Every structure is written in C-alpha cells, then in structure tokens.
Amino acid sequence: MLGLLVVAALCCASQAADQPNILFIAADDLGWNDVGFHGNEAIKTPHLDALAREGVILNRTYVQPLCSPSRSCFMSGRFPFHTGLQHIVIKPDLGYGLNLSITTTAQHMKSLGYSTHIVGKWHLVFCSKQYTPTQRGFDSFYGYYLGAEDYYTHQRALPIPVPAVQLGKKVVVSGLDFHRDTAESYSNVLDDNGTYSAYLFSREAINIVKKHNASAGPLYMYLPFQSVHNPLEAPLRFLEMYSTIKDKNRRTLSAMVSAMDEAIANITQAFKDQGLWNNTMLIFTTDNGGPVTQGANNWPLRGSKATVWEGGTRGSAFIHGFMLNKTGYTYNGLTHAVDWYPTVVSMAGGKVEDPEMDGMDMWPALQNNLTSPRTGFVYNIDKTGDVSAIRVGKYKYIKGNPGIGGWYPAPTVDLALEDYGDDGEISADKGPWLFDLDVDPLEKNNLYSSMPDQVKVMEAQLAEYMEGYVNDLYSQHQPDPKCNPDLFNGAWSSGWC
C-alpha cells in the first residue's frame, strides 16, 4: 500500500513539473482597432504588441456580442444558447447564473493540481454564495461581481424594483461592489477606495505570483480586467498621452487601454522576477467587440458591441509562451470563446470528456500551426432578441435583428466620431444576410438572393442547432428588490435569491 502511495506521489510530482503556469487575461469591451498589433499606430500598447508578435496573433477568434455570455463560454465551454445565457447580460436584480451542474474551467484545473485564482470581473451572478467564484473552483477572488462600476470608488448605482406594494416602480440605489473571496468580505477592501482598478488588479496579481509555491503545483490565473468598459475613466498621466485627440471618449478610451497595457507589463515582469515566466503560457482575449459610441473602435469591421456583426464578435486575441512550437506569425484558423476551456485543459495535460461541450481542443493546432478543427460556430441564437447568426465554413448567415451595422472609422486628432456623418446607419437591406467572409470580411455584399442553395445549407444547420436550444433565463426571472445593497451594509452581496 505504501509503495502505491509513493508511486502515486511521484506521478503527481512529475505531472506538476511538466505543467505550465497559465495566465488567462480577458479585456472588457476592447475593440478590434484598439490595439497596436492590429496596425493602429495611434494607440500605445507596446507591451501587448510585443507579447502578441512574440507569440501567435489569433486573427479569427470569435466571442459573444456581450460580456456575460462570453464569460460563460470561458467558464463552461458551452454556447450561451445551450445554457440559457444568450439574451443580453446578467443583471444584478435577477437571480440566475451559470448552471451549478456545469464543471467550470477553474474546477477542472483544480482537479489537475493547479492553484486557481481570479482577479477582476466575474459577472456570472452573485445572488447566492454558491454562484460566486470561490464556490466555482477558484482558491481566491479579488474583484467585483457586476458588469460595470466606478474605476476609483468601486461603487455601482442602478435602478432596482421597490417592494411589490409599489409594483412597477424602481428606485436608484448605490452600493460597493468590491470583494475578496466571498460576497460578505467587502470590508477588507475598503482601503482600496480611490485607487484605479487596473492598479489594484495588477497589485493583486503580482502578490499572488510572489506568494505562489511552484513546488506545490502550477498556477492558473484568470485575470478579467475592468478595462476598458465604461464609465470612461483613466489616470491623468495616461490621458496626457492622448491630449491631441479631439473626441473625448476616444481620448479617454485610448488612455484606459494604455493603462491596462502597463498593468499587464507589470504582471508579466512579476512572473519573470519569480522565475516563473519561462514556464508560463499567456492567453489574451477581449470579451466582445468595442462599443463605438463609448470611444472604442472596430474599424474596418462592421458593427459594434451587442451586435452579431464582425465588429461585435471578432475578438482581438493572441497566445504567448514557451510551449508554442512556432511563433511570430498570425494564425488564421477559426477559434471561438467556447474553445478556451478544453484548450486550456489540454495545455495543462488534461482532457475534457463531456458530450455536452461545444468547445474544441485547439491546443495541437495552435501549438504547431495546424489547420483548425473548427469549421463553424454559433454567433448567437436568441429568440427573445429575435436574432440568429451562424458560421459554416467561410459563410455567415444572419436572420432577425443583428443590431446597428455601420462601419465606424476611429476618431482622429482632427475629427470626432460625429464628424463622420451617417457611417453608422444600416443600409436599406434588412436581411436575411449571407456573406462569404473569405472574400468579404467587412460584410458589404449580401449574397442571400444570389445563392439560394447555400442559404438552404445554412438553414439546415440552423435548424440542427435549434434542436438543442435552451430558452433564455433572463425572460424567466423577475427583478427582485431583495438585491438592494442597503440590506447588506451598502454593498452588492449574496444571499437574496
């Protein structure tokens, strides 16, 4: 018996020695044209650019149009229309979230011997403690639960329903949304009030790296930044870097991107200082396209955040690290947010065996520059929102309401966004839409009328997807006044749903 235990211990130690540390960074609302590695010389992201160009730039990686759905993909490996999270985002007064029966990425990584930590934005519900990060596989959590908040005060004001005696009325309430580990532990972060979140998150990530005991196993850190989601706020020294940009939103957004870039540089330096960098894989992605009315930019792609156009769903992303057998190039294979779960597990030496998993293991393809095993995916299927959009090979098919679909140039030194006129208006063509994205990545030439046979192929694939459709949870829940932070000492907290 003792011999078996020794063999088991040696096996585990050997496995741990071969496993990489994994740093998974998710930016919030970062547009296609908001980084230097896509050719925008006006925006200053030197550290991200260097990491991207030293690694592999992912040119055709897709995300969901909004943040909660994408984060559910990262954590579950399932398309949101399979989990009921396809309609808009999870709001703080609604008591639902990512199904508790789903094993999250963090839970799987823990089973592989990883130390697991999340620093930043959760946005996968908090109304009950069992939905919060430390109950979903993370050893520690430092950050916030809601979709947005003030970058300095970490407060969020929102209209919520008042008790049923005043049915239909709402009142605006404000509460602190900043926590360590559990929803009740907000008192130990009150000293962080007044500090910009990118500074706080980089400080926390660095502390985790410094405390990490590599001999006890590898590190998995999920780092979903608040940056660059609204409200648009940035430290003065970064704003001064863009003082010549006329458009205020674009000026501030650019400063926010540069602040995040510096934070990431500081975190990666900590990995180097601790001797961990040469055994670390870094993944960087946005959660959705940029909101063009709030300073972000997706040029030359069509559309904005919250739309199924390419500008809302084609994400800025790259991968970097010692396990890549080829680096310094742009990978053009298809990947999707649901793929990160099985890919990260595969990178760690594990395997996902889940028949309900939509994600595909991209690690062999990314590691060796092989053809992507993915040939199609679902942008979104949302009956409540009246939109369906899918990809089959090079073709994209959209039915219903995809959202406003213009082409928005980036505001420059001389011009503000409003100076460009009506570039944001959708054309007279009301769909459905069929595009050949290999020759028309900007979605300008609707082939729906000229390719009826291909439309039939797309309709057949959509019908097949619809067989697994799960009705959205948003429509099944009513706003609950018990979420009021006034009932929890002024903080957005759990325990009410």
Side-chain angles (χ1 to χ4, degrees):
M1 181 68 177
L2 180 61
L4 290 175
L5 291 174
V6 171
V7 170
L10 289 173
C11 289
C12 292
S14 174
Q15 180 187 34
D18 294 337
Q19 291 172 305
N21 304 304
I22 298 176
L23 174 60
F24 188 109
I25 301 175
D28 199 338
D29 283 6
L30 186 72
W32 181 263
N33 196 35
D34 292 338
V35 290
F37 61 82
H38 280 157
N40 186 349
E41 296 179 357
I43 203 146
K44 299 174 178 63
T45 52
H47 304 101
L48 285 171
D49 298 348
L51 289 166
R53 289 165 182 156
E54 291 167 2
V56 178
I57 296 173
L58 305 178
N59 195 39
R60 294 181 181 176
T61 286
Y62 286 84
V63 287
Q64 295 303 121
L66 289 165
C67 48
S68 289
S70 280
R71 290 158 207 275
S72 75
C73 293
F74 300 155
M75 285 293 110
S76 72
R78 290 163 167 78
F79 290 125
F81 81 97
H82 280 153
T83 60
L85 300 178
Q86 68 270 45
H87 185 63
I88 62 174
V89 298
I90 300 174
K91 295 191 173 181
D93 57 2
L94 297 179
Y96 71 89
L98 182 64
N99 194 299
L100 294 171
S101 67
I102 295 174
T103 299
T104 68
T105 308
Q107 289 169 323
H108 202 131
M109 296 299 281
K110 269 202 83 63
S111 74
L112 296 174
Y114 275 76
S115 170
T116 58
H117 304 272
I118 171 175
V119 179
K121 174 177 173 177
W122 179 235
H123 209 187
L124 285 175
V125 91
F126 64 97
C127 67
S128 174
K129 187 180 293 185
Q130 59 190 337
Y131 283 106
T132 59
T134 53
Q135 300 296 309
R136 304 304 303 261
F138 289 101
D139 295 327
S140 74
F141 167 60
Y142 178 81
Y144 64 110
Y145 292 129
L146 277 61
E149 63 182 0
D150 188 275
Y151 278 75
Y152 291 95
T153 67
H154 317 298
Q155 296 271 334
R156 180 71 189 274
L158 286 169
I160 66 166
V162 295
V165 292
Q166 301 176 34
L167 189 64
K169 294 185 178 180
K170 290 194 173 186
V171 60
V172 174
V173 298
S174 182
L176 175 71
D177 182 19
F178 213 71
H179 310 269
R180 183 178 292 281
D181 295 333
T182 67
E184 290 73 29
S185 64
Y186 52 87
S187 61
N188 60 12
V189 295
L190 292 179
D191 290 341
D192 297 333
N193 185 14
T195 303
Y196 193 68
S197 72
Y199 296 164
L200 292 176
F201 296 151
S202 61
R203 183 188 72 186
E204 181 70 12
I206 289 168
N207 286 337
I208 291 171
V209 171
K210 287 181 176 179
K211 294 176 182 178
H212 178 65
N213 180 6
S215 63
L219 170 66
Y220 170 67
M221 186 186 299
Y222 174 45
L223 184 56
F225 273 93
Q226 180 177 4
S227 312
V228 290
H229 197 288
N230 74 312
L232 300 180
E233 298 175 300
L236 179 60
R237 65 187 178 92
F238 293 102
L239 289 167
E240 290 174 342
M241 294 166 56
Y242 298 96
S243 60
T244 58
I245 294 180
K246 178 181 177 181
D247 186 276
K248 180 180 179 182
N249 284 352
R250 184 60 179 171
R251 181 168 65 250
T252 307
L253 187 285
S254 299
M256 295 166 75
V257 174
S258 291
M260 179 178 66
D261 181 76
E262 181 185 89
I264 291 170
N266 293 336
I267 294 164
T268 56
Q269 185 60 49
F271 275 85
K272 295 172 184 177
D273 293 342
Q274 296 301 118
L276 300 175
W277 185 243
N278 290 336
N279 191 40
T280 295
M281 295 299 299
L282 184 152
I283 296 163
F284 177 87
T285 180
T286 186
D287 63 343
N288 45 250
V292 298
T293 59
Q294 297 171 9
N297 193 254
N298 305 302
W299 182 263
L301 302 179
R302 183 176 187 174
S304 181
K305 172 185 176 178
T307 77
V308 294
W309 301 109
E310 294 293 281
T313 56
R314 187 173 170 187
S316 297
F318 66 83
I319 186 170
H320 178 285
F322 73 106
M323 296 176 74
L324 294 168
N325 292 326
K326 183 178 179 181
T327 58
Y329 71 99
T330 296
Y331 183 72
N332 286 308
L334 286 180
T335 63
H336 189 276
V338 295
D339 299 328
W340 285 123
Y341 184 153
T343 300
V344 164
V345 168
S346 178
M347 193 184 297
K351 185 177 181 180
V352 175
E353 296 180 352
D354 182 350
E356 296 184 10
M357 179 75 66
D358 294 309
M360 304 178 73
D361 179 7
M362 294 290 164
W363 180 229
L366 296 179
Q367 186 179 30
N368 300 296
N369 191 23
L370 303 177
T371 300
S372 171
R374 179 168 291 287
T375 58
F377 58 85
V378 175
Y379 288 85
N380 200 23
I381 303 176
D382 179 5
K383 291 181 180 178
T384 303
D386 184 31
V387 62
S388 300
I390 63 171
R391 175 84 174 254
V392 177
K394 64 181 182 176
Y395 291 103
K396 178 177 182 178
Y397 183 55
I398 308 174
K399 290 179 70 174
N401 179 17
I404 296 294
W407 293 266
Y408 306 85
T412 65
V413 172
D414 301 317
L415 294 175
L417 184 62
E418 60 267 22
D419 295 325
Y420 285 102
D422 295 329
D423 294 277
E425 291 302 316
I426 199 167
S427 68
D429 180 6
K430 298 299 182 183
W433 294 266
L434 177 70
F435 299 107
D436 179 344
L437 293 183
D438 277 2
V439 299
D440 181 26
L442 306 187
E443 301 173 287
K444 292 188 173 183
N445 184 23
N446 186 1
L447 303 174
Y448 179 80
S449 298
S450 60
M451 297 188 69
D453 290 342
Q454 186 60 41
V455 169
K456 291 179 182 177
V457 171
M458 307 303 277
E459 283 283 357
Q461 181 61 73
L462 180 57
E464 185 176 330
Y465 282 130
M466 289 301 297
E467 293 177 2
Y469 185 84
V470 173
N471 290 327
D472 73 270
L473 293 168
Y474 181 94
S475 300
Q476 300 174 44
H477 288 78
Q478 294 298 316
D480 192 334
K482 293 194 297 292
C483 71
N484 192 336
D486 291 344
L487 302 176
F488 299 93
N489 297 317
W492 296 97
S493 191
S494 65
W496 55 266
C497 70

